[in-house]
Amino acid sequence: MAMRGISDIIFKVEKLAVIIIIPVMLLAMVFDIIFRYFVQSPLIWAQELTLYTFVWCSFIGASMSIKTKEAVAVNLLVDKINPKLRNVLIVAGLIVSALFSIFIFYLSINWITNPNILLQKSITTQTPMIFMYICIPISLLFMSIHFLSWFLESLRFTRAGKVIE
Amino acid sequence: MILTMLIFAVVLLIRVPIAIVLGISGIVLLVVSGNGDMLINSPQRLFSSLESYSLLAIPLFMLAGEIMNTGGITSRLVTFAQKFVGHYRGGLAYVNIVANTFLASIIGSAAAQIAMMTKIMVPSMEKEGYKREFAAATTASAGMLGPIIPPSMLFIIYGATSGTSIGDMFLAGILPGILLSLAFVILVAYIGYKEKFPSKPKASWGERGMSLYKIIPALLVPGILIWGIVTGVFTPTESAGIACVIALIVGLFLYKELNIKDLPSIMVNTAISTAMVTLLIAMANIFGWAMTFERIPQAIAEWMTTISDNPIIFLILVNILLLLLGMLVEGIALIIILTPIFVPILPAYDIDPIHFGVIICLNVVIGILTPPVGSGLFLATSLGKVSIESFVKAVWPFVFVSIVVLLLVTFIPSLTLWIPSISK
Amino acid sequence: SGSSETETKAAGEKGKTYEFKMTHVTQTGHIWHKFAEKFAEELEARSDGRMKLEIYPAAQLGPEADMVQQLSSGSLDFALITVPYLSSRFPELDAWNMPFLFEDLEDVLAAQETEPAQKMLGLLDSQGLKGMDYFFAANHNLLVNGDPIQSIDDVKGRKIRFAGGASVIDFWKGLGASPIAMGLPEVYNAMQTGVIDGVSIDTNPMLSEKFYEIGKTYVLTNHMAFGGIVTASKTKYESMPEEDQKIIDEALAAAVEWGEKEIVAISDKNLKELEKLVDVVELKNREQFSGEAKKIYEEYSNKSELIKEFISTVKKE
Ligand code: NA
Ligand code: NA
């Protein structure tokens, strides 16, 4: 239950994040066009802002797609077998997915804590890349928690003898 | 490699999300090939696979689609088309293909085109009584025209990698593009006849006039897009951003069907549907990177060139290889890896590099629809909200006619070489 | 498997065998790829076949940020990385991007040998890299549509693509241009549709990426040196026995010597070929631009002692 609660709170944070990020992405692009054509004074930062808000939005959205169970998967086999085996396979798949995201999260922590990361800057605006890179460990942490919560939920379902949807 | 394929199949079948399946396979491939020390680089690879301006069109067209659907623009566009061609059996399916053909002369990437059109066409076709998976398959297949009819991102990359004139490549794509479009129209006519597609009673000229009047604000969206791209005021990517703004204005102030309160859920939907595709692209990148590092595609291609010195057999082998590799490796990466291997040996077979380029690119666009890995497949299934299995069932006739076109293009060189030759 | 080292004591031969991996951003038709192939050839010959080099062109293993990371973690052995990218990680390297600092390619090649230039190579150490040597491509010129650029007034309001570098963006923005940094593959389409009306580019990609198809006038501005640094993985290099390091150093020196002769030779050849394809014009008022460039030299000299030293050394020669 605790895991479910944490996962729900994280999902709220993620929603808030994308509600802020997407308008910023759109506005940066629109202002870029307006300033280039009508004001004739370029906005040097706009292109990079659009690009990196997109990357942020992609990885946060990726974690959200796990929470909403929308990530694309293949039902071909699990739809054809008996419910008991179906539950076992799905639960196994979920723990594999959870372990994978935890592993990549662990790798990304090793990566992001390397002191060289702090020396990297973006090409046009010279913004430290850490502000962009950090979206990887954050979204993978969130994704791991969503997967674990989903796994525990499915495990409860299986124990209660219900069929996982 | 065999162990990797086995693990790939097993985790895929136990309903692990495909993106995760690709990531796991990439990592397994690195470990079993003794490159475990490269795992540390995978987070950076994930990041930089999305750090590309050419992908920006995806979230923006998704956002534009969400706004247009919520704001009543899509429904009016569709009503308009119905009033004029709805009395033909399968009218909306033709509208879909024709609209995609025109769009292809503006947009250079299949992903951008599929993202944009799926959001608009699938809900409207479903409302008209078409099966969702057929609607998604028609849209995704017609989206293949994007990089075949010029301008084309794939031709640019092939031209640069092979030393072929990009201008000639563009010209060479025109006839194959038209042929592909015609083939889809014939296919839709056949399926429509067989499955008794919906048709409506003919609309009166009064109804048509009314729908035309209502459509005028909605036409601002495609109108301004085409104007902006043709005059060079903005790039196709930027046009997606502009489309969002116009759709917002039309939805909020002209049709008044859109409410400020709708916006947060539009953002959340956009983020999730974008991510479903981009996470796949990022994870497919890890898998492709592991394969490239092991030189797997290169090894296969090099082995192939030793088999036969007959150009026909060579081209058939190339097509088989590309269709197979295209199932697993995504578009641009495939061109970048294979072009430098094949192009130097073309003179030995007396094959024109322009002709060969169109063959490669046709294979690559077919590959975006074939399972298990394909950006077109992922876009159409996630945006069209259909399962992979039912989509694959619906799309295979389209893939089949595309292969027929591919064979025509392969064995009739003048289909590609005639237009470039008369323009000299 | 990736750059594995195995002891081979067969036939009484001592020493390890190496399978190095090297990557770069350009296509196989570019001089950088030919240089990498020459390096591979030299390595193999000088090590009696113990050292093999596999080359991954066209950023097949990822863009430059990834190359640097793969070098510092030791999964990649060598990469030829562009100076504009490296200057985003080592601000001192922006010295090479200074506008209108060099008259021609020979000036650039001479500047590589100077003390400040060698100090810059040493800076790469701090991020797990080993700066082995410079390998330049050519000087950048401007390919434009519309009016050819002849004076600083012609630059105002022009949308021009640059490879990057803080000083480059500052300089052209200062002249009233609209500098845009976009990836090389996007340039062709952007130029053809008029999203940009100019691109800063040397003669190699003008031909290898077919940019002559989309631009009208090639103005020989010679405004910036464009090149790369042959970068090795520091941990990998330092873990090798001294005699093997020596083989690598010598093989690289031979490849660079061959490559530099080649660059000078092809830059004339490229230009002659381009003259048949686009209008090639000289820049009339170069001194106007050089005058403006002094402001940038001053600004960046204040930011870094090494840039200051580099500019004054180059100016003296
Ligand atoms: Na197109
Ligand atoms: Na595929």
Side-chain angles (χ1 to χ4, degrees):
Chain A
M1 269 303 145
M3 195 52 94
R4 170 85 187 273
I6 299 171
S7 163
D8 289 346
I9 293 169
I10 285 174
F11 190 56
K12 278 191 188 133
V13 173
E14 289 171 332
K15 273 186 180 168
L16 189 66
V18 297
I19 289 170
I20 296 167
I21 290 172
I22 292 178
V24 170
M25 173 172 74
L26 183 60
L27 287 176
M29 174 169 276
V30 171
F31 276 111
D32 187 25
I33 300 169
I34 292 175
F35 273 76
R36 202 159 69 221
Y37 286 93
F38 302 105
V39 192
Q40 296 272 323
S41 134
L43 292 180
I44 301 294
W45 46 267
Q47 281 209 334
E48 273 190 359
L49 184 59
T50 318
L51 182 64
Y52 291 117
T53 43
F54 157 67
V55 179
W56 259 98
C57 163
S58 283
F59 283 105
I60 293 296
S63 164
M64 296 170 81
S65 75
I66 302 303
K67 176 71 182 174
T68 59
K69 302 176 184 171
E70 283 178 272
V72 196
V74 172
N75 285 310
L76 197 69
L77 178 74
V78 292
D79 280 354
K80 290 217 172 93
I81 52 181
N82 77 55
K84 251 194 191 147
L85 188 58
R86 172 195 165 90
N87 279 11
V88 171
L89 290 185
I90 291 176
V91 168
L94 285 170
I95 192 66
V96 167
S97 306
L99 290 175
F100 170 78
S101 20
I102 293 168
F103 180 58
I104 302 287
F105 169 65
Y106 161 78
L107 289 177
S108 68
I109 289 293
N110 275 343
W111 166 63
I112 204 97
T113 50
N114 184 318
N116 285 342
I117 287 283
L118 295 172
L119 302 169
Q120 295 188 48
K121 303 218 166 67
S122 71
I123 296 207
T124 318
T125 60
Q126 304 286 308
T127 314
M129 287 303 290
I130 184 95
F131 294 120
M132 288 72 110
Y133 287 157
I134 195 88
C135 73
I136 301 277
I138 290 178
S139 60
L140 279 157
L141 176 65
F142 289 177
M143 192 186 283
S144 307
I145 291 171
H146 292 324
F147 265 128
L148 281 176
S149 157
W150 189 1
F151 162 71
L152 291 174
E153 184 193 304
S154 303
L155 204 60
R156 275 197 308 276
F157 262 66
T158 309
R159 287 212 178 113
K162 288 188 262 183
V163 179
I164 305 170
E165 272 188 24
Chain B
M1 187 65 204
I2 292 165
L3 178 69
T4 311
M5 296 318 283
L6 203 71
I7 290 179
F8 184 96
V10 170
V11 282
L12 189 75
L13 287 175
I14 59 173
R15 216 175 79 172
V16 170
I18 298 178
I20 307 291
V21 175
L22 288 166
I24 293 174
S25 309
I27 281 176
V28 169
L29 184 56
L30 282 178
V31 173
V32 298
S33 60
N35 292 315
D37 56 340
M38 290 184 58
L39 289 177
I40 182 75
N41 302 315
S42 48
Q44 170 96 46
R45 290 298 293 133
L46 278 180
F47 183 89
S48 54
S49 55
L50 297 191
E51 195 186 6
S52 151
Y53 286 102
S54 39
L55 295 177
L56 265 177
I58 296 177
L60 291 165
F61 278 127
M62 299 240 178
L63 181 59
E66 287 281 342
I67 298 172
M68 284 165 72
N69 288 343
T70 317
I73 296 177
T74 312
S75 58
R76 282 176 179 79
L77 280 171
V78 174
T79 315
F80 173 72
Q82 274 163 15
K83 297 288 178 215
F84 283 82
V85 294
H87 56 286
Y88 298 112
R89 199 180 283 287
L92 208 48
Y94 299 125
V95 169
N96 190 342
I97 294 168
V98 173
N100 262 301
T101 309
F102 284 114
L103 208 58
S105 61
I106 307 167
I107 292 180
S109 110
Q113 203 165 317
I114 294 172
M116 187 167 159
M117 292 301 279
T118 304
K119 276 270 162 191
I120 300 171
M121 291 309 300
V122 173
S124 355
M125 283 178 75
E126 193 187 26
K127 229 180 269 168
E128 277 302 287
Y130 293 83
K131 278 194 208 128
R132 247 194 129 74
E133 51 267 29
F134 173 77
T138 311
T139 316
S141 311
M144 288 166 54
L145 295 167
I148 300 298
I149 293 175
S152 158
M153 203 66 188
L154 292 183
F155 287 169
I156 291 174
I157 288 161
Y158 175 81
T161 340
S162 65
T164 316
S165 157
I166 293 161
D168 284 350
M169 286 301 299
F170 280 7
L171 293 173
I174 295 175
L175 280 183
I178 293 173
L179 204 59
L180 202 56
S181 172
L182 281 176
F184 291 152
V185 167
I186 295 169
L187 177 67
V188 164
Y190 171 73
I191 298 178
Y193 172 77
K194 222 181 66 185
E195 298 196 355
K196 307 221 179 329
F197 272 164
S199 65
K200 291 205 154 175
K202 205 168 183 172
S204 73
W205 282 103
E207 286 175 304
R208 288 180 179 180
M210 198 58 206
S211 76
L212 180 64
Y213 170 72
K214 281 191 189 152
I215 192 78
I216 291 170
L219 284 178
L220 277 174
V221 181
I224 292 181
L225 289 198
I226 292 170
W227 169 79
I229 297 173
V230 169
T231 56
V233 173
F234 36 79
T235 60
T237 302
E238 288 169 342
S239 76
I242 299 292
C244 295
V245 175
I246 305 166
L248 266 177
I249 293 171
V250 172
L252 284 173
F253 304 114
L254 292 173
Y255 292 156
K256 299 196 174 92
E257 282 185 28
L258 194 65
N259 195 305
I260 296 283
K261 281 185 204 138
D262 298 329
L263 293 180
S265 67
I266 287 180
M267 304 298 167
V268 169
N269 289 344
T270 304
I272 294 178
S273 46
T274 300
M276 281 153 67
V277 176
T278 51
L279 183 65
L280 279 160
I281 294 175
M283 290 294 181
N285 217 286
I286 298 262
F287 187 51
W289 172 60
M291 297 233 287
T292 310
F293 208 77
E294 278 306 296
R295 295 194 162 261
I296 291 168
Q298 286 97 322
I300 299 172
E302 276 157 17
W303 162 78
M304 257 190 53
T305 59
T306 62
I307 294 183
S308 165
D309 48 13
N310 180 321
I312 306 267
I313 295 177
F314 171 73
L315 283 176
I316 290 175
L317 284 173
V318 167
N319 282 326
I320 294 173
L321 171 78
L322 283 167
L323 289 172
L324 289 178
L325 280 178
M327 293 170 81
L328 287 177
V329 185
E330 258 306 282
I332 290 171
L334 206 55
I335 294 184
I336 290 177
I337 295 166
L338 294 180
T339 307
I341 301 168
F342 283 127
V343 168
I345 59 169
L346 293 180
Y349 293 100
D350 204 18
I351 297 169
D352 192 304
I354 296 174
H355 179 206
F356 190 75
V358 176
I359 295 176
I360 284 209
C361 294
L362 266 173
N363 271 295
V364 164
V365 289
I366 294 173
I368 67 172
L369 291 184
T370 53
V373 182
S375 56
L377 170 83
F378 301 147
L379 278 165
T381 48
S382 56
L383 291 178
K385 296 201 173 23
V386 291
S387 77
I388 299 238
E389 297 84 11
S390 59
F391 177 82
V392 170
K393 262 184 217 153
V395 87
W396 86 258
F398 289 92
V399 171
F400 177 77
V401 300
S402 311
I403 293 176
V404 172
V405 171
L406 169 67
L407 291 176
L408 287 176
V409 169
T410 304
F411 296 117
I412 311 173
S414 55
L415 281 177
T416 42
L417 299 177
W418 182 60
I419 294 191
S421 74
I422 56 164
S423 69
K424 286 240 166 77
Chain C
S1 72
S3 60
S4 62
E5 293 139 47
T6 44
E7 301 274 348
T8 51
K9 296 207 172 95
E13 227 180 47
K14 280 211 163 176
K16 288 173 170 177
T17 62
Y18 300 88
E19 280 174 32
F20 296 128
K21 289 182 183 335
M22 177 173 184
T23 183
H24 60 80
V25 291
T26 65
Q27 306 293 347
T28 47
H30 194 279
I31 177 70
W32 278 13
H33 188 70
K34 294 179 181 127
F35 161 76
E37 287 176 331
K38 180 74 179 168
F39 181 39
E41 203 182 297
E42 292 288 336
L43 276 176
E44 189 155 358
R46 285 163 194 267
S47 64
D48 297 320
R50 286 193 297 121
M51 294 179 180
K52 294 229 176 1
L53 182 71
E54 283 212 73
I55 306 163
Y56 297 83
Q60 279 180 8
L61 299 179
E64 292 181 302
D66 299 42
M67 292 178 192
V68 169
Q69 204 223 353
Q70 291 173 38
L71 284 170
S72 61
S73 72
S75 42
L76 188 66
D77 304 276
F78 301 100
L80 183 47
I81 302 180
T82 66
V83 172
Y85 173 74
L86 284 172
S87 67
S88 75
R89 300 178 70 127
F90 307 92
E92 292 86 353
L93 286 181
D94 215 2
W96 286 103
N97 304 332
M98 288 298 141
F100 295 93
L101 188 60
F102 304 99
E103 292 283 335
D104 51 33
L105 193 56
E106 280 78 5
D107 281 359
V108 179
L109 297 180
Q112 285 174 204
E113 309 303 325
T114 62
E115 204 194 316
Q118 294 301 315
K119 270 191 213 163
M120 287 177 205
L121 285 183
L123 292 174
L124 270 62
D125 251 49
S126 64
Q127 295 186 29
L129 308 173
K130 183 163 172 53
M132 306 280 288
D133 203 348
Y134 292 99
F135 190 67
F136 274 75
N139 279 357
H140 266 196
N141 298 307
L142 290 180
L143 173 70
V144 292
N145 280 320
D147 299 332
I149 286 169
Q150 286 298 333
S151 69
I152 50 173
D153 292 329
D154 297 335
V155 172
K156 287 207 170 63
R158 300 294 277 271
K159 293 156 281 166
I160 305 171
R161 180 264 180 192
F162 290 91
S167 60
V168 179
I169 305 282
D170 282 352
F171 175 73
W172 294 95
K173 201 185 168 197
L175 292 183
S178 172
I180 299 176
M182 64 167 71
L184 209 57
E186 290 179 72
V187 171
Y188 189 97
N189 225 351
M191 188 93 170
Q192 199 172 41
T193 49
V195 170
I196 51 172
D197 50 23
V199 51
S200 163
I201 201 85
D202 66 71
T203 56
N204 295 304
M206 271 296 284
L207 291 164
S208 68
E209 318 275 329
K210 313 252 168 198
F211 288 151
Y212 57 82
E213 292 180 1
I214 37 124
K216 194 167 144 249
T217 317
Y218 194 49
V219 190
L220 301 178
T221 50
N222 259 313
H223 63 268
M224 183 185 118
F226 178 77
I229 294 180
V230 183
T231 313
S233 163
K234 188 168 174 250
T235 48
K236 277 301 206 33
Y237 182 84
E238 285 175 354
S239 69
M240 281 184 254
E242 233 166 80
E243 59 268 29
D244 288 348
Q245 293 179 350
K246 207 174 141 223
I247 293 174
I248 292 173
D249 293 349
E250 288 169 359
L252 182 66
V256 168
E257 200 191 315
W258 172 88
E260 285 180 350
K261 278 195 195 117
E262 209 51 22
I263 296 173
V264 176
I266 60 166
S267 70
D268 289 336
K269 212 177 78 196
N270 284 349
L271 208 56
K272 286 218 178 71
E273 204 169 334
L274 281 174
E275 276 168 356
K276 290 181 221 151
L277 301 163
V278 288
D279 296 336
V280 177
V281 300
E282 296 287 335
L283 176 66
K284 282 212 189 83
N285 300 303
R286 196 168 194 271
E287 66 292 343
Q288 252 186 352
F289 289 88
S290 319
E292 288 295 316
K294 289 205 176 76
K295 294 177 196 160
I296 293 287
Y297 302 163
E298 210 166 293
E299 190 188 329
Y300 279 79
S301 293
N302 290 335
K303 281 186 186 167
S304 147
E305 205 44 48
L306 193 52
I307 293 183
K308 189 177 177 183
E309 206 183 314
F310 180 78
I311 294 174
S312 63
T313 314
V314 170
K315 283 275 157 200
K316 248 182 254 154
E317 292 192 358

